Amino acid sequence: MSQLALVTGATSGIGKAFAERLAADGYDLIVVGRNKDRLEEFAAAHPDVTVRTVAADLSTDVGIDTVAEICASEPLTMLVNNAGVAHYMPMAQLPADKARELVHVKVVAPTMLTRAAAAEMQERGDGKIINVAGMIAFSGPADKSVMPRRAVYAGSLAHLVAMSQTLSAELEDTGVQIQVLCPGVVATEFHTRQGLDLSAVPRMSAEDVVTAGLRGLQLGEVVCAPGVEDAGLLDAVFKADLAAFGGQSPELASRYRAS
């Protein structure tokens, strides 16, 4: 039986690298992006597998609903929620339309596509979903010296981490595997589109990110951090999260009581 993967943001960067790797592994593909010409170029370059192109704008409800319907109706072996925009700006300076676009692409779209795909996968008892986030999801405690400002972007990635971890627990023993992929700085067009020159910054290749994500699935990692050598650092974060969660009480904490 053929394997079928749907990849969003498949025309460049990590998404294209995923599509290339999965095609090489024999997957049939549904590639999603805004640029119809690039999608068709990709399909033409991969005649050995079946490639369906879907031109959709995931910053819109129409685009999200179109792709979610595919996720709900096709027997996907894998869903890769990779589409993204950054819009690195202080929140007060971020135009409302750009804030809305960012939240739609990195929060609403992966949520709705994951919801649709997970239900179909759970019914079949098989499937894998990769939500591409980033290590910025863990940068919330950083002080104001950390640049560039990106509160909405960081928040959207943190949503993907928490959603993926919680969903993984929900789907335990169903045959459906969830991963959130959190690379650091990657050598793609992503930052260039934001007007940022990171040519002097050491960056991981998109191909290495894909290698980590696929290997992470084999290792059973829910949170995959391709550039973090010491996995114990991630374990410490998650243990601290659960300790804080478990340390709550219905009693008002003493530091909030009037002296």
Side-chain angles (χ1 to χ4, degrees):
M1 183 176 179
S2 63
Q3 299 186 96
L4 177 64
L6 187 149
V7 182
T8 69
T11 58
S12 64
I14 295 171
K16 185 176 182 181
F18 259 112
E20 295 276 5
R21 182 71 61 83
L22 293 172
D25 289 344
Y27 279 74
D28 291 331
L29 294 169
I30 302 172
V31 289
V32 179
R34 301 188 198 195
N35 191 314
K36 183 178 180 181
D37 291 341
R38 282 193 175 188
L39 291 172
E40 291 178 351
E41 287 173 8
F42 180 90
H46 297 82
D48 294 335
V49 296
T50 300
V51 180
R52 175 181 172 186
T53 64
V54 179
D57 184 351
L58 295 181
S59 71
T60 68
D61 288 337
V62 171
I64 292 171
D65 290 346
T66 296
V67 182
E69 185 174 345
I70 296 171
C71 291
S73 60
E74 295 286 348
L76 298 181
T77 309
M78 183 180 296
L79 167 65
V80 181
N81 281 311
N82 165 76
V85 292
H87 301 324
Y88 289 172
M89 291 183 194
M91 184 181 286
Q93 297 173 22
L94 183 63
D97 62 332
K98 291 186 180 298
R100 186 175 293 108
E101 178 186 23
L102 174 52
V103 172
H104 265 76
V105 173
K106 291 306 293 181
V107 176
V108 180
T111 299
M112 300 309 292
L113 271 55
T114 295
R115 173 187 173 276
E120 196 280 333
M121 289 177 176
Q122 188 171 1
E123 186 173 333
R124 284 186 291 115
D126 180 64
K128 296 176 174 60
I129 298 174
I130 298 177
N131 293 315
V132 179
M135 290 306 294
I136 288 174
F138 301 97
S139 69
D143 63 33
K144 67 178 182 179
S145 67
V146 176
M147 296 290 285
R149 306 286 184 247
R150 52 184 185 267
V152 179
Y153 183 69
S156 72
L157 300 192
H159 164 81
L160 289 175
V161 172
M163 181 184 77
S164 299
Q165 289 176 302
T166 308
L167 181 58
S168 178
E170 288 181 12
L171 296 177
E172 188 174 349
D173 299 325
T174 66
V176 183
Q177 190 172 0
I178 308 296
Q179 180 192 94
V180 59
L181 179 57
C182 298
V185 184
V186 184
T188 68
E189 301 174 9
F190 186 73
H191 295 95
T192 305
R193 291 175 181 171
Q194 310 304 312
L196 300 173
D197 180 8
L198 298 183
S199 57
V201 176
R203 295 172 291 170
M204 183 174 288
S205 71
E207 291 74 19
D208 279 352
V209 173
V210 172
T211 295
L214 297 178
R215 177 58 177 154
L217 287 174
Q218 295 175 346
L219 295 173
E221 293 183 346
V222 177
V223 180
C224 174
V228 176
E229 180 64 30
D230 183 0
L233 294 172
L234 296 172
D235 292 337
V237 170
F238 306 146
K239 287 177 181 177
D241 285 344
L242 290 174
F245 179 71
Q248 61 186 317
S249 163
E251 300 295 329
L252 184 66
S254 61
R255 64 185 177 281
Y256 301 125
R257 299 171 192 164
S259 56

